[in-house]
Amino acid sequence: MDPLMPPPPIRKISLEAPPTVVPVAPVAIDRDGAVNGNGNGVGHHVTGPPPSDAPVVDRMACEAVTISYGAKVAVNAVDLPIRQGEVLAMIGPSGCGKTTLLRSLNRLTELTPGAARGGRITLDGQDVDELEVTELRKRVSMVFQQPNPFPMSVFDNVAYGLREGGSKRPRRKELLEPVEVALTRAGLWHEVKDNLDHPALRLSGGQQQRLCIARSLAAGPEVMLMDEPCSALDPISTGKIEELILELREQIAVVIVTHNLQQAQRVADRVAFMYLGELVEYGTGAQVFDAPQAQRTRDYVGGAFG
Amino acid sequence: MSATATRPPAPRDAPAPPRRTRARDSASSWPLRDRIGLALCWGAGITLTLMALSILLYMCVKGITQLKPSMLVTHPSAAVDQSRAGGFLDPIQGTLMLTAIGIVIAVPLGVCVALWLVEYGRPKALARLVESAVDVIAGAPSVVLALFGLSVFSETFFTWMSFRSEDTAFGRSFMVAGTVMSLIALPLVVGATREALLQVPNHVREASLALGKTKASTIRAVLLPAVRPGIATGTALGMGRIIGDTAIVILLLGNTLTVQPRDGGAPVLDVLQGTGSTLTSYIYGNSPIGEGNAPQKAYAAAFVLLLIVVGLNALATRIARGRGKETAWIR
């Protein structure tokens, strides 16, 4: 090591700090959706994506949602609004329940044996438990951490969401246009337009993930859930997907789970910080990153733990 | 070297070309038992290879010298004079037909069993029961299955599968033998399909469900294409097993030298209801202990059989390896 360099700074981790839980949901949220670090006056650097012009509409809401796997409580009494026109990022250390909460939004948690949910999740005011599950999942789509194209051609992957029950109808000619639209929105059309018949699993990792996003988009979802969509990708693919997320937020409510705090700062209008199953802090990106209320949040976004 | 040295190194003539260092440690540091063990491993592998090669070589030499192209296209007949005993066209037909029947029954059944086991498998107790049932069938010697089949298919209820013989069903026909043959191929199809299904990561299933698809369409459109190489492997292995089996042929196919359609049946159905033989039973019959006792013919037939089986094995390996790369998801 170079003796002239000062030793790296040692951060003090305040273990004794009380896990302050700030009151959430209805309070401390300005509804205009502008993200300018207002209020606290700490905004010494710009946080958050460029503001969008689209009106902000409430689409989904979690009310006192509790999810447990057997005796283990993974998510504890979380209230959270999900809005169209904004990107909501969920951050927090591994095992804090953010993925579980995300999966419960389109009832994928039901597939896990032993998972139980309390509280209410609504989509446009309607309880998701009362919706037919396939109907719900058509409206609330999900993109996974690992790229998972189906073992079929690029075209069929995108068309899969448009066809009923996995059949081969409607035929290719009728679907070409919506498939092209979806692939274009996902920024993949120019790369794959000449080989739509190639197996999707031959694409590169970044292309596969954008294909998965196109596949979800083709089905015309109203809410898009993304579970660390860039964790397996290189920075260039990540950048493309982040641009896409910012475009999508105008028509679709986007929720993204990420371990990458810079990514959350780049794309998120709202940030929810979870810790040990609790929603610790919720606010605009500027509020959570530059002026966190809770000590836990301060430590996490400051890099003290995680 | 001191840490403060800044002088460049003295110029050298030419850099030594890169050389490969040996990855092996010297045997002198090995204890005796490990050296013996290693020697045994080498020995075992080489012995096995030599045995396989000698079988192949012996059968090739014997087969090629005995095989005449006419044998492949002439019907066999029971003649003491070998020049008039014909070839083995009928046994080849029998082998192919029996394999086809067995596979047509075993593959759909086996894939369904594997799908249920992996994708549903509830209640747990029933799943365990199904698994042990498959294991029992896999473990039962084919002659036991054949004996069981004979008593079952001789019931008058199954007359339509063979034909009436006095007051019971004859219980011996292509249909009967093919049905029992499907049982010995079934565990291989179940096993290969099951392995392939378990290789598909869960998030792929969830991705389909998250698009609002039902479980049934997920299985049909996503899982079945994904496990197709596995099904192909199981099918090829099952074919090999069916082709090689003798006991079921002797007990349940009637073991007539030529294909004997049932008297007065419908055109195609009469063959399925009739009797015949396969290459394996033909080899048995023409071996020195069989009735025919024409070892030259037996060798020629064995050579043809070996070619078919080796070809199928190569096909299975190619299918399994060639398609393996495509379905590589990040787990």
Side-chain angles (χ1 to χ4, degrees), chain A residues 34-287:
Chain A
V35 190
N36 45 19
N38 58 346
N40 300 298
V42 201
H44 53 271
H45 67 272
V46 180
T47 295
S52 101
D53 308 326
V56 175
V57 187
D58 262 312
R59 294 310 299 267
M60 294 189 82
C62 300
E63 294 160 24
V65 169
T66 299
I67 301 160
S68 59
Y69 297 115
K72 186 183 175 290
V73 177
V75 174
N76 193 5
V78 169
D79 293 286
L80 196 65
I82 291 154
R83 303 204 177 105
Q84 187 174 317
E86 288 182 341
V87 175
L88 169 67
M90 300 214 268
I91 59 170
S94 299
C96 70
K98 52 195 188 311
T99 298
T100 301
L101 181 61
L102 190 78
R103 286 164 58 88
S104 73
L105 292 177
N106 68 353
R107 289 170 59 187
L108 275 180
T109 36
E110 287 172 1
L111 302 175
T112 315
R117 201 195 79 215
R120 230 166 88 91
I121 299 176
T122 56
L123 173 61
D124 291 337
Q126 199 177 7
D127 196 320
V128 294
D129 292 343
E130 286 160 15
L131 285 163
E132 170 63 29
V133 72
T134 53
E135 194 54 38
L136 170 72
R137 288 177 188 154
K138 273 179 193 152
R139 294 172 66 186
V140 183
S141 195
M142 180 146 174
V143 174
F144 292 76
Q145 183 173 5
Q146 304 90 342
N148 47 15
F150 299 139
M152 42 178 110
S153 72
V154 171
F155 180 88
D156 285 339
N157 259 280
V158 183
Y160 182 67
L162 297 165
R163 290 167 167 158
E164 278 302 320
S167 76
K168 286 273 178 200
R169 288 171 200 283
R171 291 265 166 222
R172 182 175 175 129
K173 269 182 192 155
E174 302 157 50
L175 289 178
L176 202 55
E177 197 202 324
V179 166
E180 180 180 343
V181 169
L183 282 169
T184 308
R185 283 176 84 189
L188 195 61
W189 176 249
H190 290 290
E191 291 164 58
V192 299
K193 66 178 175 206
D194 296 325
N195 30 21
L196 287 173
D197 291 321
H198 282 214
L201 280 158
R202 295 249 176 91
L203 297 174
S204 76
Q207 289 174 329
Q208 286 188 8
Q209 190 66 309
R210 277 179 286 147
L211 179 67
C212 293
I213 294 173
R215 186 175 68 189
S216 295
L217 287 176
E222 297 160 34
V223 180
M224 177 86 95
L225 311 174
M226 299 177 131
D227 185 5
E228 298 180 51
C230 304
S231 70
L233 304 183
D234 66 293
I236 293 168
S237 304
T238 303
K240 286 182 181 168
I241 289 178
E242 286 177 6
E243 277 172 34
L244 170 67
I245 291 171
L246 292 182
E247 277 170 39
L248 287 181
R249 69 177 168 177
E250 321 227 322
Q251 299 126 28
I252 298 175
V254 181
V255 188
I256 177 170
V257 161
T258 179
H259 273 135
N260 183 334
L261 297 181
Q262 281 81 25
Q263 182 173 56
Q265 287 192 349
R266 286 193 299 265
V267 301
D269 302 294
R270 303 275 169 182
V271 177
F273 171 64
M274 290 185 70
Y275 186 64
L276 295 178
E278 312 261 353
L279 181 63
V280 177
E281 191 144 348
Y282 173 80
T284 64
Q287 283 167 355

Side-chain angles (χ1 to χ4, degrees), chain A residues 103 137 149 160 163 165 201, chain B residues 206 208 210 213 220 326 329:
Chain A
R103 286 164 58 88
R137 288 177 188 154
Y160 182 67
R163 290 167 167 158
L201 280 158
Chain B
E206 286 174 357
S208 173
K213 298 292 171 177
R220 188 147 42 89
E326 251 180 58
W329 285 287

Side-chain angles (χ1 to χ4, degrees), chain B residues 85-102:
Chain B
F88 38 84
L89 175 64
D90 290 64
I92 292 178
Q93 286 171 342
T95 295
L96 297 180
M97 262 163 61
L98 202 58
T99 311
I101 298 170

Side-chain angles (χ1 to χ4, degrees), chain B residues 58-74:
Chain B
Y58 183 77
M59 294 316 294
C60 281
V61 170
K62 280 281 193 181
I64 290 169
T65 50
Q66 304 295 343
L67 183 66
K68 295 184 198 74
S70 62
M71 285 183 184
L72 296 175
V73 289
T74 46

